[in-house]
């Protein structure tokens, strides 16, 4: 018996009927037990048989006493040593972020509110995100009805102004909900209607219908929308727990949307929801989100699905069954809102130079 391989021991066997070969070297004669006595050591066949029996008995006793430890595998690493993004998980940080969002004002003087459109598959967490953001400003968890349902064939355009805490002015942020996207044919909102919303042509309260696309004959249609009527940033929303099961058609849908939205000069970000459903450690402690290997992998897959860098993507934990607010969840939600507002500002930075360039005569 010789040491070899990953477990430390290897065994050599001879198959029945196999022919033995003899390899000779100066001073040695190797062969089966019935071979001739060695001229140097005078070993007879009988002595070889006895030696073989003693060796076998010794080997059996050794096997009984020796315990071979087989390595066990506990699974792939799920937690990283260092966080890949730095976040302060404190009550003070929550207050600072709330103040940043509450005091935000669009850099364009003609615009009162920053308007953000949420787009994503059915039940990806668009409505829940709006409810969660409003909840942390209300100081208690509140859930609003879901807009996008696979059972609906029509829906109404709804925009929600995020209200600040009691006694304070409302924030300048408006989140626009939408029906869930479909794959391929984009059931629900059509590409035409989505672009009409972004351009600011669709009035608030308009009821969308697949067989009645938005047009100049639509009641309340805004023919010449102001910059305040338009969408200033688009946030795609994808479910981390379904990121590997989304139909391949979604990839082409997102690509088509992003191409047309970019042509309008509107920046896009993404929210990765349901992160607590893919990582137990994160579900227990949201502050571990940026140390989770599973969340990091989900973000990479979301980036591939959407065709965007992970620097545009932020994970969030929406409130669903909870009754009380959680500081870490609030910090993550507010960080996402702050991330969105940075790209809203980019829209206004791109828009303002067009307004300040003197007209050529």
């Amino acid at each position: 018996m010789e040491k070899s391989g990953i477990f430390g021991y290897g065994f050599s066997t001879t198959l029945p009927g196999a022919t033995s070969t003899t390899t000779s070297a100066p001073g040695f004669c190797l062969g089966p037990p019935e071979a001739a006595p060695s001229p140097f050591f005078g070993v007879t066949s009988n002595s070889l048989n006895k030696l073989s029996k003693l060796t076998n008995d010794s080997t059996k006793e050794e096997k009984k006493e020796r315990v071979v430890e087989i390595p066990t595998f506990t699974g792939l690493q799920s937690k990283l040593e260092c966080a890949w993004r730095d976040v302060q998980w404190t009550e003070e940080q929550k207050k600072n972020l709330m103040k940043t969002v509450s005091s935000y004002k669009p850099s364009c003087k003609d615009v009162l509110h920053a308007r953000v459109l949420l787009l994503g598959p059915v039940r990806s967490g668009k409505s829940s995100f709006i409810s969660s953001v409003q909840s942390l400003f209300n100081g208690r968890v509140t859930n609003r009805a879901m807009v996008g349902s696979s059972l609906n064939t029509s829906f109404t355009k709804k925009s929600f102004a995020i209200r600040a805490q009691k006694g304070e002015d409302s924030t300048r942020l408006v989140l626009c909900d939408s029906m869930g996207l479909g794959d391929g044919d984009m059931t629900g909102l059509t590409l035409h209607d989505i672009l009409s919303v972004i351009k600011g042509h669709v009035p608030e309260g308009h009821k969308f219908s697949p067989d009645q696309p938005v047009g100049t004959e639509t009641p309340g249609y805004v023919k010449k929308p102001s910059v305040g009527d338009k969408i200033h940033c688009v946030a795609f929303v994808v479910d981390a727990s379904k990121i590997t099961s989304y139909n391949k058609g979604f990839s082409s849908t997102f690509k088509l949307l992003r191409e047309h939205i970019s042509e309008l000069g509107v920046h896009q970000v993404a929210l990765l929801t349901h992160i607590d459903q893919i990582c137990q450690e994160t579900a227990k402690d949201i502050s571990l989100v940026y140390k989770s290997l599973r969340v990091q992998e989900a973000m990479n897959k979301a980036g591939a699905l959407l065709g965007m860098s992970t620097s545009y993507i932020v994970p969030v934990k929406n409130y669903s069954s909870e009754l009380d607010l959680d500081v870490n969840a609030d910090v993550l939600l507010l960080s996402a809102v702050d991330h969105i507002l940075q790209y809203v500002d980019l829209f206004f930075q791109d828009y303002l130079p067009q307004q300040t360039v003197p007209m050529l005569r």
Side-chain angles (χ1 to χ4, degrees), residues 18 51 60 107 124 137 142 150 161 175 200 223 240 277 302-303 317:
L51 180 61
K60 290 178 181 178
S107 55
S124 58
F137 277 101
T142 54
S150 57
L175 298 177
K223 295 181 179 180
Q277 295 182 18
K317 164 64 176 74

Side-chain angles (χ1 to χ4, degrees), residues 81-135:
E81 290 295 329
C82 300
W84 75 87
R85 288 180 184 172
D86 294 326
V87 178
Q88 297 178 20
W89 305 98
T90 62
E91 183 71 35
E92 182 180 1
Q93 176 67 0
K94 174 184 173 179
K95 291 179 180 178
N96 291 337
L97 287 169
M98 289 183 71
K99 183 177 180 180
T100 299
V101 175
S102 299
S103 60
Y104 173 82
K105 294 181 180 179
S107 55
C108 180
K109 63 179 182 179
D110 298 328
V111 179
L112 184 61
H113 293 97
R115 302 177 63 82
V116 179
L117 176 64
L118 303 182
L119 291 175
V122 174
R123 300 187 186 280
S124 58
K126 300 181 296 296
S127 299
S128 295
F129 176 73
I130 296 174
S131 296
S132 298
V133 173
Q134 188 61 73
S135 293

Side-chain angles (χ1 to χ4, degrees), residues 329-351:
D330 289 348
V331 168
L332 200 61
L333 285 164
L334 288 165
S335 297
V337 175
D338 183 55
H339 181 72
I340 290 171
L341 291 176
Q342 291 178 31
Y343 286 92
V344 170
D345 273 341
L346 284 180
F347 174 86
F348 293 128
Q349 289 176 22
D350 296 339
Y351 171 79

Side-chain angles (χ1 to χ4, degrees), residues 241-255:
S241 67
K242 299 178 181 178
I243 200 69
T244 57
S245 60
Y246 279 134
N247 192 300
K248 292 182 179 179
F250 274 118
S251 182
S252 58
T253 297
F254 286 128
K255 181 180 179 181

Side-chain angles (χ1 to χ4, degrees), residues 55-338:
T55 302
N56 290 336
D57 292 341
S58 175
T59 302
K60 290 178 181 178
E61 292 299 322
E62 189 178 350
K63 285 181 179 179
K64 291 179 181 179
E65 296 177 1
R66 182 174 296 167
V67 178
V68 179
E69 295 185 2
I70 300 176
T72 56
F73 299 93
T74 57
L76 297 175
Q77 179 186 3
S78 62
K79 185 178 176 181
L80 301 173
E81 290 295 329
C82 300
W84 75 87
R85 288 180 184 172
D86 294 326
V87 178
Q88 297 178 20
W89 305 98
T90 62
E91 183 71 35
E92 182 180 1
Q93 176 67 0
K94 174 184 173 179
K95 291 179 180 178
N96 291 337
L97 287 169
M98 289 183 71
K99 183 177 180 180
T100 299
V101 175
S102 299
S103 60
Y104 173 82
K105 294 181 180 179
S107 55
C108 180
K109 63 179 182 179
D110 298 328
V111 179
L112 184 61
H113 293 97
R115 302 177 63 82
V116 179
L117 176 64
L118 303 182
L119 291 175
V122 174
R123 300 187 186 280
S124 58
K126 300 181 296 296
S127 299
S128 295
F129 176 73
I130 296 174
S131 296
S132 298
V133 173
Q134 188 61 73
S135 293
L136 66 89
F137 277 101
N138 290 341
R140 58 188 176 87
V141 177
T142 54
N143 293 309
R144 63 176 72 256
M146 296 176 63
V147 171
S149 171
S150 57
L151 301 177
N152 293 338
T153 56
S154 62
F155 64 97
T156 303
K157 178 189 174 186
K158 293 183 179 180
S159 301
F160 301 93
I162 302 301
R163 297 181 177 85
Q165 291 180 311
K166 292 181 179 179
E168 298 181 7
D169 295 333
S170 294
T171 71
R172 297 294 187 92
L173 175 64
V174 172
L175 298 177
C176 305
D177 208 348
S178 66
M179 189 178 185
L181 299 175
D183 52 359
D185 295 333
M186 294 205 312
T187 53
L189 269 179
T190 64
L191 175 62
H192 170 80
D193 285 351
I194 290 173
L195 297 180
S196 295
V197 171
I198 295 174
K199 293 176 182 178
H201 293 302
V202 183
E204 186 67 18
H206 170 74
K207 190 171 184 177
F208 292 91
S209 180
D211 54 353
Q212 294 180 349
V214 174
T216 54
E217 68 284 353
T218 299
Y221 181 84
V222 183
K223 295 181 179 180
K224 294 182 178 181
S226 66
V227 65
D229 295 322
K230 298 179 179 180
I231 293 297
H232 310 128
C233 180
V234 171
F236 290 102
V237 184
V238 290
D239 184 343
S241 67
K242 299 178 181 178
I243 200 69
T244 57
S245 60
Y246 279 134
N247 192 300
K248 292 182 179 179
F250 274 118
S251 182
S252 58
T253 297
F254 286 128
K255 181 180 179 181
L256 185 64
L257 278 170
R258 295 200 64 232
E259 287 178 353
H260 284 83
I261 295 172
S262 296
E263 289 176 357
L264 297 177
V266 177
H267 297 276
Q268 303 127 59
V269 298
L271 306 176
L272 184 68
T273 62
H274 298 107
I275 54 173
D276 54 312
Q277 295 182 18
I278 64 171
C279 179
Q280 292 183 354
E281 289 85 356
T282 302
K284 295 176 183 177
D285 185 356
I286 296 297
S287 67
L288 297 177
V289 59
Y290 288 122
K291 286 188 176 182
S292 171
L293 183 60
R294 292 186 177 93
V295 173
Q296 188 182 50
E297 290 173 345
M299 287 185 64
N300 290 332
K301 291 175 182 178
L305 176 71
L306 296 167
M308 62 170 57
S309 168
T310 54
S311 61
Y312 296 97
I313 306 173
V314 287
V316 293
K317 164 64 176 74
N318 292 333
Y319 288 110
S320 54
S321 60
E322 299 85 354
L323 296 178
D324 300 312
L325 297 175
D326 177 78
V327 173
N328 294 336
D330 289 348
V331 168
L332 200 61
L333 285 164
L334 288 165
S335 297
V337 175
D338 183 55

